[in-house]
Amino acid sequence: MKISDFRAYKAALKKISMVTCYDYTSAMILNSSQIDCVLVGDSAAMTMHGHDSTLPISVEQMSQHTAAVKRGAPSKFIVGDLPFLSYRKSLSENVEAAGEIMRAGAQSVKLEGARGNLELIRHLVNSGIPVMGHLGLTPQSIHQIGGFKVQGKLPPDAEVILDDSLALQKAGCFALVLECVPQALAQKISEALEIPTIGIGAGVGCDGQVLVWQDLLGMNPNFKPKFLRKYADLHQVIQAALNAYDQDVKGLKFPSKEESY
Ligand code: KIV
């Protein structure tokens, strides 16, 4: 997939599949799949580093995750997240943060929210950096929002999200993530925009869907939000493999003669 395909998919009513990824080995698997594009999300702060929000991750860490994913999935379109506050500084610092993610191997960056970001988005786009927007539940604002909860349920809040999505399109975003908004609102926004929407917890009316790698593969049995479908139970698969190895080691069944020099 390349940048022009995002609008082309939407025009052809072809849905976009996106998944997050943060490391080389997973990216290698992803590269051999039919998934359209990959997000090196700042959710890495939670899934890879064990934090309880996305706030602690730095531009340097995001660059390292992006570079690892690029090495593993060189043929996929990569979106790299700009982390918390990295794009809320001076214009030159914001551009430098985006440049670092791009130099690490991303083909575009994603940032959260519209208000206060529109000038930067125009500047990045005019500098050759494609920008993906992100509205609805914006995890970098979790302390402002007051928790991981559905956004835009009340008509005035829904109106703000719709207005912001139009503003992001006008500023030059090539696609928009809609996170945890009612299905009807996501559908309305998707119909109002020429750029594709990519939903997570936003219903089937979006132009594409994104899920977090660990969630879609069932790696964390304790995480089960309503919107999530687990396509595997890797927690169980990996745990069983580890226990089988443990038993073999302790029972002198591993390594065998054939597995020894
Ligand atoms: O960081 C992330 O994983 C994201 C997705 C939830 C869209 O932004």
mmCIF file of all heavy atoms in Angstrom, residues 18 20 22 39-44 54 81 110 112 134 139 177 179 200 210 212, ligand 1:
data_model
loop_
_atom_site.group_PDB
_atom_site.id
_atom_site.type_symbol
_atom_site.label_atom_id
_atom_site.label_comp_id
_atom_site.label_asym_id
_atom_site.label_seq_id
_atom_site.Cartn_x
_atom_site.Cartn_y
_atom_site.Cartn_z
ATOM 1 N N MET A 18 -5.442 -2.465 9.308
ATOM 2 C CA MET A 18 -4.209 -1.948 9.922
ATOM 3 C C MET A 18 -4.033 -2.645 11.276
ATOM 4 O O MET A 18 -5.016 -2.961 11.959
ATOM 5 C CB MET A 18 -4.293 -0.426 10.100
ATOM 6 C CG MET A 18 -3.046 0.195 10.681
ATOM 7 S SD MET A 18 -2.889 1.978 10.318
ATOM 8 C CE MET A 18 -3.807 2.681 11.642
ATOM 9 N N THR A 20 -1.210 -2.717 14.827
ATOM 10 C CA THR A 20 -0.009 -2.119 15.419
ATOM 11 C C THR A 20 1.099 -3.164 15.438
ATOM 12 O O THR A 20 0.848 -4.366 15.404
ATOM 13 C CB THR A 20 -0.232 -1.642 16.870
ATOM 14 O OG1 THR A 20 -0.391 -2.779 17.714
ATOM 15 C CG2 THR A 20 -1.423 -0.709 16.980
ATOM 16 N N TYR A 22 5.508 -3.413 16.902
ATOM 17 C CA TYR A 22 6.542 -2.641 17.599
ATOM 18 C C TYR A 22 7.937 -3.253 17.509
ATOM 19 O O TYR A 22 8.897 -2.643 17.967
ATOM 20 C CB TYR A 22 6.185 -2.514 19.092
ATOM 21 C CG TYR A 22 4.718 -2.280 19.368
ATOM 22 C CD1 TYR A 22 3.873 -3.331 19.714
ATOM 23 C CD2 TYR A 22 4.179 -1.000 19.272
ATOM 24 C CE1 TYR A 22 2.523 -3.117 19.961
ATOM 25 C CE2 TYR A 22 2.836 -0.778 19.525
ATOM 26 C CZ TYR A 22 2.012 -1.843 19.867
ATOM 27 O OH TYR A 22 0.689 -1.625 20.105
ATOM 28 N N LEU A 39 0.782 0.313 12.081
ATOM 29 C CA LEU A 39 0.949 1.473 12.954
ATOM 30 C C LEU A 39 1.938 1.126 14.057
ATOM 31 O O LEU A 39 1.707 0.191 14.837
ATOM 32 C CB LEU A 39 -0.407 1.834 13.588
ATOM 33 C CG LEU A 39 -0.350 2.870 14.717
ATOM 34 C CD1 LEU A 39 0.110 4.235 14.191
ATOM 35 C CD2 LEU A 39 -1.704 3.006 15.407
ATOM 36 N N VAL A 40 3.050 1.853 14.095
ATOM 37 C CA VAL A 40 3.934 1.740 15.254
ATOM 38 C C VAL A 40 3.352 2.714 16.278
ATOM 39 O O VAL A 40 3.643 3.913 16.274
ATOM 40 C CB VAL A 40 5.395 2.074 14.898
ATOM 41 C CG1 VAL A 40 6.296 1.829 16.104
ATOM 42 C CG2 VAL A 40 5.869 1.234 13.717
ATOM 43 N N GLY A 41 2.436 2.190 17.068
ATOM 44 C CA GLY A 41 1.650 3.041 17.968
ATOM 45 C C GLY A 41 2.390 3.353 19.254
ATOM 46 O O GLY A 41 3.233 2.565 19.707
ATOM 47 N N ASP A 42 2.020 4.494 19.840
ATOM 48 C CA ASP A 42 2.603 4.800 21.151
ATOM 49 C C ASP A 42 1.981 3.911 22.230
ATOM 50 O O ASP A 42 2.394 3.953 23.395
ATOM 51 C CB ASP A 42 2.482 6.291 21.493
ATOM 52 C CG ASP A 42 1.046 6.768 21.560
ATOM 53 O OD1 ASP A 42 0.134 5.989 21.220
ATOM 54 O OD2 ASP A 42 0.840 7.940 21.950
ATOM 55 N N SER A 43 1.020 3.062 21.834
ATOM 56 C CA SER A 43 0.532 2.008 22.734
ATOM 57 C C SER A 43 1.689 1.085 23.117
ATOM 58 O O SER A 43 1.568 0.293 24.054
ATOM 59 C CB SER A 43 -0.597 1.208 22.076
ATOM 60 O OG SER A 43 -0.238 0.811 20.766
ATOM 61 N N ALA A 44 2.818 1.190 22.410
ATOM 62 C CA ALA A 44 4.039 0.466 22.800
ATOM 63 C C ALA A 44 4.391 0.752 24.260
ATOM 64 O O ALA A 44 4.945 -0.116 24.951
ATOM 65 C CB ALA A 44 5.209 0.871 21.900
ATOM 66 N N THR A 54 -0.106 5.763 27.641
ATOM 67 C CA THR A 54 0.846 5.941 26.537
ATOM 68 C C THR A 54 1.812 7.102 26.803
ATOM 69 O O THR A 54 2.726 7.340 26.006
ATOM 70 C CB THR A 54 0.093 6.220 25.209
ATOM 71 O OG1 THR A 54 -0.688 7.411 25.360
ATOM 72 C CG2 THR A 54 -0.804 5.061 24.830
ATOM 73 N N ASP A 81 3.685 6.763 15.346
ATOM 74 C CA ASP A 81 3.030 7.705 16.264
ATOM 75 C C ASP A 81 4.003 8.749 16.791
ATOM 76 O O ASP A 81 5.127 8.422 17.188
ATOM 77 C CB ASP A 81 2.466 6.940 17.470
ATOM 78 C CG ASP A 81 0.957 6.829 17.440
ATOM 79 O OD1 ASP A 81 0.303 7.579 16.683
ATOM 80 O OD2 ASP A 81 0.432 5.982 18.186
ATOM 81 N N LYS A 110 1.461 9.886 12.873
ATOM 82 C CA LYS A 110 0.103 10.089 13.389
ATOM 83 C C LYS A 110 0.184 10.958 14.631
ATOM 84 O O LYS A 110 1.104 10.804 15.439
ATOM 85 C CB LYS A 110 -0.557 8.748 13.722
ATOM 86 C CG LYS A 110 -1.942 8.907 14.356
ATOM 87 C CD LYS A 110 -2.736 7.617 14.381
ATOM 88 C CE LYS A 110 -2.356 6.660 15.489
ATOM 89 N NZ LYS A 110 -2.501 7.208 16.849
ATOM 90 N N GLU A 112 -2.484 13.080 17.700
ATOM 91 C CA GLU A 112 -3.824 13.060 18.279
ATOM 92 C C GLU A 112 -4.421 14.460 18.393
ATOM 93 O O GLU A 112 -3.743 15.388 18.846
ATOM 94 C CB GLU A 112 -3.777 12.409 19.672
ATOM 95 C CG GLU A 112 -3.356 10.948 19.627
ATOM 96 C CD GLU A 112 -3.382 10.275 20.998
ATOM 97 O OE1 GLU A 112 -3.796 10.912 21.999
ATOM 98 O OE2 GLU A 112 -2.974 9.107 21.059
ATOM 99 N N HIS A 134 -6.120 11.540 14.488
ATOM 100 C CA HIS A 134 -6.650 10.597 15.486
ATOM 101 C C HIS A 134 -7.621 11.367 16.374
ATOM 102 O O HIS A 134 -7.204 12.291 17.074
ATOM 103 C CB HIS A 134 -5.473 10.018 16.287
ATOM 104 C CG HIS A 134 -5.846 8.961 17.284
ATOM 105 N ND1 HIS A 134 -4.943 8.023 17.731
ATOM 106 C CD2 HIS A 134 -7.016 8.674 17.941
ATOM 107 C CE1 HIS A 134 -5.521 7.211 18.607
ATOM 108 N NE2 HIS A 134 -6.788 7.597 18.759
ATOM 109 N N PRO A 139 -5.744 8.714 23.621
ATOM 110 C CA PRO A 139 -5.153 8.246 24.887
ATOM 111 C C PRO A 139 -4.106 9.186 25.489
ATOM 112 O O PRO A 139 -3.868 9.139 26.694
ATOM 113 C CB PRO A 139 -4.538 6.896 24.507
ATOM 114 C CG PRO A 139 -5.333 6.440 23.321
ATOM 115 C CD PRO A 139 -5.662 7.686 22.567
ATOM 116 N N VAL A 177 -7.815 8.134 12.250
ATOM 117 C CA VAL A 177 -8.222 7.098 13.200
ATOM 118 C C VAL A 177 -9.367 7.647 14.053
ATOM 119 O O VAL A 177 -9.293 8.769 14.561
ATOM 120 C CB VAL A 177 -7.031 6.673 14.101
ATOM 121 C CG1 VAL A 177 -7.522 5.869 15.312
ATOM 122 C CG2 VAL A 177 -6.027 5.844 13.310
ATOM 123 N N GLU A 179 -11.279 6.535 17.394
ATOM 124 C CA GLU A 179 -11.180 5.558 18.482
ATOM 125 C C GLU A 179 -12.347 5.716 19.453
ATOM 126 O O GLU A 179 -12.588 6.814 19.979
ATOM 127 C CB GLU A 179 -9.833 5.744 19.220
ATOM 128 C CG GLU A 179 -9.679 4.762 20.367
ATOM 129 C CD GLU A 179 -8.251 4.647 20.908
ATOM 130 O OE1 GLU A 179 -7.322 5.255 20.323
ATOM 131 O OE2 GLU A 179 -8.090 3.942 21.914
ATOM 132 N N ILE A 200 -11.265 2.022 15.614
ATOM 133 C CA ILE A 200 -10.991 1.040 16.682
ATOM 134 C C ILE A 200 -12.066 1.307 17.730
ATOM 135 O O ILE A 200 -12.135 2.396 18.305
ATOM 136 C CB ILE A 200 -9.541 1.131 17.232
ATOM 137 C CG1 ILE A 200 -9.362 0.176 18.424
ATOM 138 C CG2 ILE A 200 -9.099 2.541 17.564
ATOM 139 C CD1 ILE A 200 -7.907 -0.116 18.790
ATOM 140 N N VAL A 210 -8.388 -0.858 12.812
ATOM 141 C CA VAL A 210 -7.060 -1.080 13.386
ATOM 142 C C VAL A 210 -7.235 -1.778 14.734
ATOM 143 O O VAL A 210 -8.169 -1.478 15.480
ATOM 144 C CB VAL A 210 -6.256 0.241 13.548
ATOM 145 C CG1 VAL A 210 -6.999 1.289 14.352
ATOM 146 C CG2 VAL A 210 -4.874 -0.024 14.160
ATOM 147 N N VAL A 212 -4.717 -3.475 18.084
ATOM 148 C CA VAL A 212 -3.384 -3.614 18.678
ATOM 149 C C VAL A 212 -2.965 -5.087 18.581
ATOM 150 O O VAL A 212 -3.759 -5.998 18.858
ATOM 151 C CB VAL A 212 -3.423 -3.123 20.143
ATOM 152 C CG1 VAL A 212 -2.177 -3.553 20.913
ATOM 153 C CG2 VAL A 212 -3.596 -1.603 20.180
HETATM 154 O O1 KIV B 1 -1.078 3.689 19.685
HETATM 155 C C1 KIV B 1 -1.987 2.999 19.206
HETATM 156 O O2 KIV B 1 -1.984 1.758 19.276
HETATM 157 C C2 KIV B 1 -3.083 3.682 18.551
HETATM 158 C C3 KIV B 1 -4.227 2.840 18.079
HETATM 159 C C4 KIV B 1 -5.091 2.481 19.213
HETATM 160 C C5 KIV B 1 -4.993 3.498 17.002
HETATM 161 O O3 KIV B 1 -3.060 4.864 18.412
#
